[in-house]
Amino acid sequence: ARARGGSLALAQDGWMASGDTLLPRDRSRSPLHPRQPQASSGGRRADLSSLARQLCLPVAGPETPQKSLQPPRAALAGDALGGDALGVLWGRDQLTGRVRVEFQQGGQGKLRTVSLRTLSGEGFISKKGLVLSTASGYFTATTVGLIRDAKLSTDTVTKVFDSFVGDGKATFVVKEKGFFQESRVLLSHVDPRDLAALVKALRP
């Protein structure tokens, strides 16, 4: 009876017997298992923010707007060229036609016009047209088949004569870095639609 009464008293006090050992029914009350304080959501967020700052990570709060990813500038430039400036030339790498490049030599009123020869050495007119490029969103048209290539771009073209675009003819005045004289690139036998798009893309 005493043992039963003792057990009842111990049970009322929150203890239970396990063999010869007394254990608390709620282990959180045991000195061996102290109750841990519950951290509030605000405290956990502050701890995580502090840890993120120590690790040099971005901290995004619940109301922090996320920035949208932007395409690279080169892609934006390419889209702009394709939609507006290049027209029928977009996606093409060559423009067919005949090309002649001239420049002036001499001085003191004794200027003479000199034409670049073809690579074959037979004449001054290349029938290989122009090579087109939109590398990194930057449009260029380069002559092919002459002893020196002339590059046409918005940085090198200073003037355009386009009165005969309807006949497939146009002249571009080009000032290239490293060359003192301006040169004239004369195009002929070019599709008028292609030539009109080229003039629009390169007009200074």
Side-chain angles (χ1 to χ4, degrees), residues 85-89 92 95-98 161-170 172 187-201 203:
L86 295 187
V88 296
L89 299 181
R92 295 171 52 181
L95 181 68
T96 58
R98 298 184 181 182
F161 297 95
D162 57 352
S163 299
F164 298 98
V165 168
D167 297 330
K169 300 177 181 180
F172 297 83
L187 303 181
S188 61
H189 294 79
V190 182
D191 184 286
R193 292 179 61 225
D194 295 345
L195 189 55
L198 184 68
V199 168
K200 179 180 178 181
R203 188 184 299 279

Side-chain angles (χ1 to χ4, degrees), residues 13-159:
D13 290 339
W15 294 85
M16 65 179 181
S18 176
D20 297 330
T21 305
L22 294 178
L23 298 175
R25 290 183 180 277
D26 184 3
R27 291 200 173 193
S28 63
R29 297 175 53 187
S30 171
L32 299 178
H33 301 278
R35 182 183 298 272
Q36 299 295 329
Q38 297 295 326
S40 64
S41 59
R44 285 196 299 271
R45 189 178 299 114
D47 292 341
L48 291 175
S49 300
S50 176
L51 178 60
R53 282 192 293 269
Q54 294 176 12
L55 297 177
C56 299
L57 298 176
V59 180
E63 299 180 358
T64 302
Q66 299 297 325
K67 295 183 179 180
S68 60
L69 296 177
Q70 296 293 333
R73 291 183 177 272
L76 293 176
D79 293 341
L81 285 175
D84 300 322
L86 295 187
V88 296
L89 299 181
W90 175 247
R92 295 171 52 181
D93 58 6
Q94 190 170 12
L95 181 68
T96 58
R98 298 184 181 182
V99 183
R100 183 184 182 110
V101 177
E102 299 177 346
F103 59 95
Q104 291 185 325
Q105 279 187 340
Q108 300 296 328
K110 297 181 180 180
L111 294 176
R112 65 189 183 95
T113 301
V114 179
S115 298
L116 295 179
R117 283 191 173 274
T118 61
L119 288 174
S120 64
E122 300 176 357
F124 304 94
I125 298 177
S126 170
K127 298 180 180 180
K128 297 184 178 181
L130 301 172
V131 171
L132 309 179
S133 172
T134 54
S136 301
Y138 185 73
F139 177 69
T140 59
T142 307
T143 62
V144 183
L146 300 173
I147 59 174
R148 181 178 72 81
D149 296 333
K151 182 175 292 186
L152 286 70
S153 69
T154 53
D155 289 337
T156 61
V157 174
T158 60
K159 190 179 298 184

